[in-house]
């Protein structure tokens, strides 16, 4: 298997314990009488209830009047009548069964979901469940499941996707099961898995479909230890379309605790498991995790193939949809917020738990806190086009003004709902150009390069070198996907990024030699360091070796056992000096010449011989 090959992505293993769904108690719920469809509210009949006390006993009568205005005036006159104890427009009631398993769904209280429902239950927001498929006949989901897109081969899908969907969007107060964290959102089911295996190609297709279908949130309760660039690009596409992407961190925290993908890709909200009592040791935990949510004994409803039985399920697969639901509720009150903004609300509102070990994120999901942050943001957000062609983006008491090429590039990216999010600064002039910073990156402009987006780890590396004042200069392009990572060109060099190496900058003769070797697809692979200056030259280290440069020798590749021997002898400051050739075949091995001698490697003995000049 090649270095960048990926194994099929598998859903985290889960545990499920069946629960009995006992009969619910009958309750009375207050509900206003709906107006008849198409009725004129000024003339439609309205019933007014009147209570009078006659001989010490209340007597109730009703009268019908034409129109709501007439009813209000009648109620006002009756209220002023000393003989009338009470008067009001008629109200209707309904019998409803309480959700029988709601008391078992303790995770709802842990994440403070009920406190958010007074503000929003997510009606109208579409959340994609990219999983094993969702049963649209599940009673807790019926009527809120869009037609399913299928990218996996036919076969039994298993219960996983339906479990995830009910944790996310199970109905509240329908007399069935428990409730989801966002009980009124619409579910877009995207089937990419075959029972327990989710291959990378269907997964990427499903993510792209969810983004194109307009999903506000994409839930990925699946993962694996091998990165896949096709999936990473699909995730980046969804983020660029404005979707919040949430993924489970995995369930092998006590069995290797490997970094899981797609949870660890840039921009993805990675979710581990824990409560305000303790983190879950079985859940994967690492520096990529953003926050955690309960993941043990979660009440979830099964598909028809499982007779719609409710089970107590365990895994970060069921922590992730709680966070997806919170993101959906936030989006319902602040639809213009971009993915980076929503991720910031989720992380900043999470409740820290001092007893947790490192790697579980900023704390326990707080749904009410996330919605509160979204409401505050929405209340202060506005976009105003000005007569001079500039646009003012106002939020939380501050205003950022954008213009020209920077404004046009921001608009082309999708504005505040894109992965760039809202402006953090207005346009700022710099020597040779201008820039504006956003929640999810920056847009830099110069006359020679135009306006280019810089974001993520590439932007961080550029910043560490000194932004446009550094030897990298202005961005001359935007991120381009390459096998295993991305590359972005600047006027003075390029920055390569991969999950294994991070972002590293290379320039000049070293960059030219790297490009001639095939860049990241050649034997050198990705750079593991940025170019470092040396007395008399420079060098960069790559996965497959190093490139050293001096004006006298040019840029030369040094690899393998010859590089090891040269390093042992002091690199370029040792007696051998700088490499002046690259490896050349000799009888029984290879030799590389240096300014002070040569190193020969024998295939038969696996030993090196040093000869000085």
């Amino acid at each position: 298997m090649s270095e960048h090959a990926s194994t099929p992505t598998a859903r985290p293993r889960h545990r499920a314990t069946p629960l009995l769904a006992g009969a619910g108690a009958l309750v009375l719920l207050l509900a206003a009488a709906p107006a008849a469809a198409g009725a004129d509210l000024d003339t439609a009949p309205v019933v007014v209830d009147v209570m009078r006390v006659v001989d010490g006993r209340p007597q109730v009568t009703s009268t019908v009047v034409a129109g709501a205005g007439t009813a209000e005036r009648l109620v006002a006159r009756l209220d002023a009548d000393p003989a009338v104890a009470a008067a009001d427009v008629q109200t209707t009631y309904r019998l409803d069964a309480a959700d029988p398993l709601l008391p078992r769904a303790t995770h709802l209280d842990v994440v403070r979901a009920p406190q958010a429902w007074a503000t929003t239950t997510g009606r109208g927001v579409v959340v994609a469940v990219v999983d094993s498929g969702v049963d649209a006949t599940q009673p807790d989901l019926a009527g809120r499941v869009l037609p399913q897109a299928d990218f996996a081969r036919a076969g039994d899908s298993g219960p996983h996707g339906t479990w995830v969907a009910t944790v996310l969007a199970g109905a509240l107060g329908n007399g069935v099961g428990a409730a989801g964290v966002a009980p009124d959102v619409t579910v877009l089911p995207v089937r990419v898995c075959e029972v327990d295996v989710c291959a990378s190609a269907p997964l990427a297709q499903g993510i792209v479909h969810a983004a194109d279908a307009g999903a506000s949130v994409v839930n990925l309760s699946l993962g694996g230890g091998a990165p896949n660039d096709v999936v990473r690009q699909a995730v980046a596409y969804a983020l660029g379309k404005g979707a919040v992407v949430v993924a489970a961190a995995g369930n092998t925290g006590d069995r290797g605790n490997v970094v899981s993908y797609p949870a660890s890709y840039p921009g993805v909200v990675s979710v581990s498991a824990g409560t305000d009592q303790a983190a879950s040791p079985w859940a994967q935990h690492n520096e990529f995790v953003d926050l955690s949510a309960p993941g043990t004994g979660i009440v979830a409803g099964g598909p028809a193939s499982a007779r719609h039985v409710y089970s107590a399920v365990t895994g970060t697969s069921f922590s992730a949809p709680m966070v997806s639901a919170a993101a959906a509720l936030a989006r319902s009150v602040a639809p213009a917020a971009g993915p980076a903004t929503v991720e910031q609300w989720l992380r900043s509102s999470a409740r820290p738990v001092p007893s947790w070990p490192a790697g579980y994120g900023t704390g326990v999901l707080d749904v009410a806190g996330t919605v509160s942050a979204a409401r505050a943001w929405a209340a202060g957000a506005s976009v105003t086009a000005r007569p001079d062609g500039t646009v003012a983006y106002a939020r939380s008491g501050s205003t950022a003004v954008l213009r020209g090429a920077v404004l046009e590039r921001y608009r082309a990216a999708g504005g505040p709902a894109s992965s760039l999010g809202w402006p953090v600064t207005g346009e700022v002039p710099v020597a040779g150009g201008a820039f504006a910073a956003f929640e999810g990156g920056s847009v830099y402009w110069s006359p020679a390069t135009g306006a280019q987006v810089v974001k993520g780890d590439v932007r961080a590396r550029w910043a560490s070198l000194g932004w446009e004042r550094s030897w990298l200069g202005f961005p001359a392009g935007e991120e381009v996907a390459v096998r295993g990572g991305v590359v972005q060109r600047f006027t003075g060099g390029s920055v390569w990024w991969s999950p294994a190496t991070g972002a590293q900058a290379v320039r000049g003769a070293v960059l030219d030699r790297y490009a001639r070797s095939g860049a990241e697809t050649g034997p050198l692979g990705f750079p593991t360091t940025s170019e470092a200056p040396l007395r008399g030259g420079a060098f960069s280290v790559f996965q497959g070796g190093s490139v050293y440069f001096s004006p006298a020798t040019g840029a030369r590749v040094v690899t393998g056992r010859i590089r090891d021997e040269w390093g042992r002898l002091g690199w370029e400051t040792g007696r051998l000096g700088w490499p002046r050739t690259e490896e050349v075949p000799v009888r029984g091995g290879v030799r590389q010449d240096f300014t002070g001698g040569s190193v020969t490697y024998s295939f038969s003995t696996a030993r090196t011989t040093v000869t000085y000049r």
Side-chain angles (χ1 to χ4, degrees), residues 392-501:
Y393 294 84
R395 180 170 59 90
S396 302
S398 64
T399 301
V401 178
L402 301 181
R403 59 175 54 82
V406 171
L407 171 63
E408 292 310 309
R409 183 64 191 90
Y410 180 50
R411 283 174 160 170
S418 72
S419 58
L420 281 173
W422 277 71
V424 175
T425 70
E427 185 172 303
V428 178
V430 295
F435 80 94
F438 301 84
E439 293 167 317
S442 298
V443 175
Y444 272 73
W445 172 86
S446 78
T449 60
Q452 310 291 346
V453 174
V454 195
K455 60 185 179 180
D457 289 347
V458 171
R459 178 177 179 268
R461 172 56 65 194
W462 184 43
S464 72
L465 295 172
W467 303 102
E468 79 286 347
R469 301 182 302 276
S470 71
W471 52 262
L472 273 175
F474 278 87
E478 298 186 355
E479 284 189 5
V480 175
V482 295
R483 184 180 179 183
V486 299
V487 62
Q488 184 161 4
R489 291 187 305 109
F490 293 78
T491 54
S494 296
V495 177
W496 267 264
W497 174 91
S498 78
T501 60

Side-chain angles (χ1 to χ4, degrees), residues 295-581:
T296 302
I298 309 303
V299 177
S305 59
R307 303 184 304 282
H308 294 149
V309 168
Y310 283 76
S311 303
V313 294
T314 292
T316 58
S317 280
F318 312 107
S319 309
M322 298 181 202
V323 175
S324 291
L329 295 179
R331 271 284 174 82
S332 73
V333 298
T341 302
V342 176
E343 180 179 4
Q344 180 185 13
W345 295 336
L346 291 164
R347 287 175 53 85
S348 62
S349 63
R351 301 192 308 279
V353 184
S355 63
W356 279 7
Y360 286 88
T362 57
V364 179
L365 170 67
D366 187 333
V367 180
T370 300
V371 171
S372 177
R375 289 183 65 190
W377 183 91
S382 65
V383 179
T384 305
R386 294 176 169 179
D388 62 358
T390 64
V391 176
Y393 294 84
R395 180 170 59 90
S396 302
S398 64
T399 301
V401 178
L402 301 181
R403 59 175 54 82
V406 171
L407 171 63
E408 292 310 309
R409 183 64 191 90
Y410 180 50
R411 283 174 160 170
S418 72
S419 58
L420 281 173
W422 277 71
V424 175
T425 70
E427 185 172 303
V428 178
V430 295
F435 80 94
F438 301 84
E439 293 167 317
S442 298
V443 175
Y444 272 73
W445 172 86
S446 78
T449 60
Q452 310 291 346
V453 174
V454 195
K455 60 185 179 180
D457 289 347
V458 171
R459 178 177 179 268
R461 172 56 65 194
W462 184 43
S464 72
L465 295 172
W467 303 102
E468 79 286 347
R469 301 182 302 276
S470 71
W471 52 262
L472 273 175
F474 278 87
E478 298 186 355
E479 284 189 5
V480 175
V482 295
R483 184 180 179 183
V486 299
V487 62
Q488 184 161 4
R489 291 187 305 109
F490 293 78
T491 54
S494 296
V495 177
W496 267 264
W497 174 91
S498 78
T501 60
Q504 309 296 343
V506 189
R507 65 166 170 169
V510 172
L511 174 58
D512 291 343
R513 182 63 190 88
Y514 177 50
R516 292 199 307 274
S517 75
E520 78 287 341
T521 63
L524 286 172
F526 280 88
T528 60
T529 70
S530 293
E531 181 171 303
L534 296 170
R535 184 176 181 179
F539 79 100
S540 287
V541 181
F542 299 83
Q543 290 172 311
S546 299
V547 177
Y548 275 73
F549 163 81
S550 77
T553 61
R556 305 296 181 184
V557 175
V558 194
T559 64
R561 293 292 296 277
I562 289 179
R563 177 180 179 272
D564 294 343
E565 182 65 13
W566 179 48
R568 188 182 68 81
L569 295 173
W571 304 104
E572 81 287 347
T573 62
R575 185 175 172 185
L576 281 171
W578 292 83
R580 63 184 185 88
T581 69

Side-chain angles (χ1 to χ4, degrees), residues 75-104:
V75 169
R77 289 200 304 273
L78 291 169
D79 282 341
D81 187 346
V84 175
D88 208 342
V89 175
Q90 187 181 74
T91 303
T92 59
Y93 298 81
R94 63 185 176 90
L95 288 175
D96 202 356
D99 297 343
L101 295 177
L102 198 57
R104 304 280 289 274

Side-chain angles (χ1 to χ4, degrees), residues 99 137-142 144 166 169-180 183 301 310:
D99 297 343
T137 70
Q138 216 291 331
D140 255 338
L141 302 172
R144 290 182 295 111
T166 57
L172 176 66
N174 66 333
V176 177
Y310 283 76

Side-chain angles (χ1 to χ4, degrees), residues 123-212:
R123 187 177 300 278
V125 178
V126 176
V127 180
V129 176
V130 180
D131 210 287
S132 65
V134 176
D135 179 9
T137 70
Q138 216 291 331
D140 255 338
L141 302 172
R144 290 182 295 111
V145 180
L146 297 174
Q148 180 162 286
D150 203 331
F151 296 95
R153 293 180 298 182
D156 180 18
S157 296
H160 191 273
T162 305
W163 282 342
V164 167
T166 57
V167 172
L168 193 158
L172 176 66
N174 66 333
V176 177
V181 173
D184 279 326
V185 299
T186 299
V187 174
L188 172 65
V190 183
R191 183 173 177 266
V192 300
C193 304
E194 301 168 22
V195 187
D196 284 324
V197 176
C198 318
S200 55
L203 175 56
Q205 291 171 324
I207 294 170
V208 170
H209 171 81
D212 287 342

